[in-house]
Amino acid sequence: MKVESSLISPLHIEENRKFYLESYGCQMNLYDSEIVTSILFDEGFSKTSDPGQADVILINTCSIREKAENTIRMRLAQFQSIKKIRPYIVIGVLGCMAELLKFRLLEEEQIVDLVVGPDGYRDIPSLIRQVKDGRKALNVAFSKSDTYADINPVRFIGNGVTAFVTITRGCDNMCTFCVVPFTRGRERSRDPHTIVNECNNLWKKGYKEVILLGQNVDSYLWYGGGLKKDFYKASEIQRKTSLDFADLLELVACALPKMRIRFSTSNPSDMSEKVLKVIVRYSNICKHIHLPVQSGSTRVLKRMNRRYTREQYIELIDKIRCLIPDCAISHDIIAGFCGETESDHHQTMSLMEYVHFDFGYMFAYSVRPGTPASKRLVDDVPDSTKKKRLQEIIDLQQKHSYEGKKKHLGKIQEVLIEGESKKSTLHWSGRNSQNAVVVFPKEYYKIGEFVTVNIVDCTSSTLIGKTTFNS
Ligand code: 5AD
Ligand code: SF4
């Protein structure tokens, strides 16, 4: 990192201004960083990958767990050295941590000049202008309607093959452990025309896969008085006055028959059979559902306010397996939530044994400020117990992931090449429909191509293949 020193702030010249943007957290945050980049490009800013050269340093933050916040605080401390040499630069915190901590961020972290929550990104250019002579700027207001639908995200993240497309913002679910409803506000669904247009533009640019994003995609609901005429042709969906997630999925699958479509995150209490039937009907919709369970104990699920029981979750799994036998299912699980007993923990493990998840994301519970759990429940599971239970869950998942991968052996699958294998320059890495990583020899193939691959070996995280040409 090279730090350039100068007496005149380029921010006040308003020419050749450079920004540096670092992103943490979920896929939604990465998408938001592409929105922020678009907004700043429109204002004449250029992007730098070196914070030492930047006039504006922005960190798009995550608050979902305590660990994420600690990482960001450490990063802010590192930026202090740049601010010492170039005191006029603007350091801004965007996203969930900005929303959660608000003024406290300006007070506690003395080097922060700008605090902008997830609904304030349109304001960033004017807020940057307000930061002068030690003055700070903040916008943490929530919007009930803005989905940034009209902003064309600048796709600087990723491989030019796969892109995120946000379909809803915010969450109304109020799971007691979760900070998201407090950092991202009320749930809003995006106009389907803008979603299809964005996917179409991505296809024209050479993208081959879109991931439709929302905290709870299944609660997508758009009342727009029917689709515009051009859109009927693209879809089997007849004139409708409202669209739910199944309709949207079908609309996108029809409009872009060669584009691979993924979606995340599904909520067990809202996922409908209608959605499953659409997945079955369209071969370009990937056969993978990310279905966080959080716990296998109905008692704990109730405390988490998850709105389903262990039995209902299992019923949904059975339905998925029946309708889409080759569907991969992944999970999120929290170990050591308030009041979790050893018996609750064993129920989580036994549910895992029943489902045999293909993969999952596993966390130890950490209290988040402002959440219902932080106010009403006691974080009474000792850290050592949380760690022990988490490790047991991880070990079991590792075993299931390996067993699940072995089931792919001998199968011929379509793989979309995403880039070079991390371990070998002679191999490509891509994913099959079930979202499993597949590595195979490069031969004459190119990034972004769909290749038919024969699965010949595996580890717990990766499938190893040969192209059918070679086998
Ligand atoms: N502690 C631990 N894990 C959490 N998650 C959300 N909030 C917390 C918390 N307070 C996990 C959930 C969620 C995922 C995105 O993060 O499993 O599905
Ligand atoms: Fe958080 Fe629950 Fe909303 Fe997911 S569904 S973002 S866990 S409140």
Side-chain angles (χ1 to χ4, degrees), residues 161 206 208 414-418 428 430-431 440 442 444-452:
V161 178
K208 300 289 163 58
E414 186 183 66
V415 177
L416 173 60
I417 304 178
E418 292 177 8
W428 287 131
R431 277 166 209 271
F440 60 95
K442 277 186 176 173
Y444 54 84
Y445 299 105
K446 294 192 209 74
I447 291 182
E449 266 187 273
F450 287 101
V451 182
T452 311

Side-chain angles (χ1 to χ4, degrees), residues 248-296:
L248 179 75
L249 201 53
E250 180 159 21
L251 184 69
V252 178
C254 285
L256 293 132
K258 292 193 179 148
M259 183 80 107
R260 254 194 186 182
I261 298 148
R262 297 191 186 278
F263 55 89
S264 189
T265 297
S266 301
N267 192 305
S269 62
D270 296 312
M271 178 155 230
S272 67
E273 196 166 319
K274 190 175 162 196
V275 170
L276 299 178
K277 287 186 172 157
V278 172
I279 301 173
V280 176
R281 209 172 313 137
Y282 292 90
S283 60
N284 59 331
I285 302 177
C286 287
K287 307 296 180 262
H288 165 228
I289 299 172
H290 184 57
L291 198 64
V293 64
Q294 313 296 3
S295 168

Side-chain angles (χ1 to χ4, degrees), residues 181-292:
F182 306 93
T183 61
R184 289 190 159 265
R186 300 305 300 265
E187 187 183 279
R188 289 140 275 168
S189 294
R190 182 177 170 188
D191 181 335
H193 301 93
T194 68
I195 296 172
V196 173
N197 283 341
E198 192 172 323
C199 295
N200 260 321
N201 288 337
L202 287 164
W203 179 255
K204 283 182 199 146
K205 285 185 190 149
Y207 283 84
K208 300 289 163 58
E209 183 177 90
V210 287
I211 307 172
L212 306 178
L213 288 183
Q215 306 296 342
N216 176 5
V217 287
D218 300 289
S219 61
Y220 177 89
L221 194 56
W222 182 75
Y223 303 96
L227 290 168
K228 284 186 193 146
K229 229 176 172 187
D230 289 356
F231 281 74
Y232 304 151
K233 281 183 249 155
S235 160
E236 287 169 16
I237 302 165
Q238 298 304 308
R239 179 177 276 274
K240 286 198 173 212
T241 49
S242 68
L243 257 71
D244 62 16
F245 179 58
D247 298 328
L248 179 75
L249 201 53
E250 180 159 21
L251 184 69
V252 178
C254 285
L256 293 132
K258 292 193 179 148
M259 183 80 107
R260 254 194 186 182
I261 298 148
R262 297 191 186 278
F263 55 89
S264 189
T265 297
S266 301
N267 192 305
S269 62
D270 296 312
M271 178 155 230
S272 67
E273 196 166 319
K274 190 175 162 196
V275 170
L276 299 178
K277 287 186 172 157
V278 172
I279 301 173
V280 176
R281 209 172 313 137
Y282 292 90
S283 60
N284 59 331
I285 302 177
C286 287
K287 307 296 180 262
H288 165 228
I289 299 172
H290 184 57
L291 198 64

Side-chain angles (χ1 to χ4, degrees), residues 171 173-175 177-178 180-181 215 267 294 306:
C171 186
N173 268 356
M174 285 290 169
C175 303
F177 54 80
C178 186
V180 167
Q215 306 296 342
N267 192 305
Q294 313 296 3
R306 286 293 286 182

Side-chain angles (χ1 to χ4, degrees), residues 64-65 177-178 292 294 332 334 363-366 368:
I64 194 101
R65 288 170 294 275
F177 54 80
C178 186
Q294 313 296 3
D332 290 348
I334 298 176
F363 315 98
Y365 173 62
S366 64
R368 306 312 294 129

